[in-house]
Amino acid sequence: MLRWILFFLLTIPAINLRAEDGYRVWLRFEKISDEPLLKNYRDAISCLQINPVSATLKAAREELTSALQTLLDKKITATTAIADKCIIAGTPASSGTIKQLLAAHNYQLGQDGYTIQAITLNGKRLTVIAAYTDIGVLYGSFAFLRLLQTHQPIAALSIISVPKIQYRILDHWDNLNRSVERGYAGISIWNWHQLPDYIDKRYIDYARYNASIGINGSVLTNVNANSLVLTKEYLIKVKALADVFRIYGIKVYLTAKFSAPIEIGGLETADPLDTTVQNWWKKKCDEIYTLIPDFGGLLIKANSEGQPGPQTYGRTHAEGANMFADALAPHNGIVMWRAFVYDARVQKKEEKFEEGKQGEHSETIASGDRFKKAYNEFKSLDGKFRGNVLVQVKNGPIDFQPREPFSPLFGAMPQTPLMMEFQLTQEYLGQGTHLVYEAPLFKEVLDADTYAEGKGSIVAKVIDGSLDHHSITGIAGVANIGNDIDWTGHPFGQANWYAFGRLAWDYTLSSGDIATEWIRQTFTNNKFFVESTKKIMMASREAAVDYMTPLGLHHIMGTSHHYGPAPWIDNAGRADWNPVYYHRADADGLGFNRTITGSNALAQYQPQAQQQWSDSNTCDEKFLLWFHHVSWAHTMKNGKLFWDELCTKYQQGVDSARWMQQQWNTSKPFIDEEQFNQVNMLLTIQRKEAEWWKNACLLYFQTFSKMPFPPNVEKPAKTLEYYKQLKFIYAPGIGGNL
Ligand code: GCV
């Protein structure tokens, strides 16, 4: 009897522990399930030689040792001598063998790159993971483990991998009170109250996960900034995080509130041309670097959505950015100056960004086009920024919509390093409950041709500095991480974090290959599951576009929380916060005319780029309503009437969401039951919300088109009035920067 009780006590927790909660993300390192492959790997690997002369090499040794032991279910011995079947990892400084190997080959690995080579040396079969820097070795170690986790052959490895972009950064929109603006995965993982003395294990795992995909920077705080983080009390807490992250090659960055000299410095102005202000920032930076010698730099949102900035004092963005650049330059820090601006005048008298308040300049704004604002403010400043400033540009001209054309700033500022800003958190992509794999969105933008210097001047070449020969380069992703057990709330949110890191390292990777890698590591290598889940992921972004904003519709979601459809909203504080401003539906048709007969935003692009969009008959229909006010009876390329095509697209989106769930159902036998159910429930929400988007939008647009739904389109279940009265007072993600 006692034996049985003991058995239950021991096995029940063990069973529970085995359930996948997603905490380990893609670094699960479960035993290789394919027996012949396992044998093959076991035969090839029996020892590890890595001289842990630094904390980073020690971390690499720990990762390799513990992962290999669980993957191979075999004890891997650490050796100092070179033995047959050893993995040898290190730098020329840590290993004589690696010194010789790197001297013999002229591998161009740069600061962060690595090489993995299967070689035979003095009759011994070895796998070498080599780099010139410790962090390169850690990156190489994770890359090697990725090969094993994804069941790749390792007998003839000859890999050289170097990141294409230098600064690969996650931007957290985390507030000091732990709310996360546009966060859907719980509260902030930074526990400011407990720092600096309590180092949560999560900080270490956060760093490990990022290092495993090559992310090397973390902006800890929201761009809607709080000066308090720059006070001594908080800087000590920041230092505690920096000390953890450093080992994994991650630098910390902070957001700087432009008015900090007033708020925490006791000055009367924050004018960037005032020497007392300049000196205040210099001293502040000196103070930061005394605590954190490798501090990365500052990210600044200025004169946008209520944030103060240089324009508050009649100065330009360049003058503002350069003040920070001068304070950071002696320490090799960088400034990331955001170009997310769309006419700050309306906020001047408001304390902070609050949609829904009546702004003073709504009329002025109504006659303009928000699309054009960033270009108008920044283009003329090209060449005026210091060498350590990167101008950070959102991927599209408006705001992380399900589909946007690339921002016309890419290719328009050749003398300035432009940094890409993507949004991983799904503010406009179903937030915490929709499965939307974002790699195809990232790739679409990175591969878009700006024609800035002729055909082939793709956005990625602007970002990686190769088009205009910039030596500092960067890419940022607005993080989707919170303190939910699986970090991202939706298990598939992890794929967006993963894909961002992989593309930041190498934007030539394909979305499909990244999805395959991620699925194999996160769930299983089962062939059926991998193929089936990959299909879901690859279809998901287009599905979301179709059920939310097909054919180039944009910004038609609910005000403020940005949750759900609300194309009817016309009373927000600024005209350009209103969906009606963007879709411009009327009796004639739908869409924003940005051609020469409209706002002429198209003129901000190179002529060849303009050409693909300038004529509504030839325009790539994915972008049609971004650039044209299209008649309801317009003939589409497939011969259908525009109205019928719009309805069909919405229906296709719904059908895709339904198909995604059916497809997921076929996966049930292959993965953890809890995880299966979790995703299944989320897919139910997604399907219902897809139907809601379609019904609400089509009923609303029908009040203008006055045309019937085509036969292939399901009749909406409820009335337009029903959808209009829905309120979501406590929708997540609004933030609140106290
Ligand atoms: C951090 C959009 C979001 C805001 C965000 C802003 C920005 O407007 O809705 O929450 O603020 O972009 O990127 O600065």
Side-chain angles (χ1 to χ4, degrees), residues 173 181-182 222-224 301 304-305 338 340 342 353 355 370 394 399-400 421 423 427-428 560 562:
W173 286 355
E181 184 153 348
R182 312 309 178 188
N222 191 354
V223 285
N224 289 332
K301 171 175 178 177
S304 170
E305 298 185 334
R338 293 180 91 223
F340 177 66
Y342 53 98
F353 164 43
E355 288 184 3
R370 174 171 160 184
K394 285 189 182 182
D399 192 13
F400 301 136
E421 181 174 330
Q423 191 181 48
E427 176 177 359
Y428 300 103
S560 182
H562 295 167

Side-chain angles (χ1 to χ4, degrees), residues 473-486:
T473 58
I475 184 164
V478 179
N480 57 353
I481 296 166
N483 77 337
D484 275 5
I485 188 69
D486 67 358

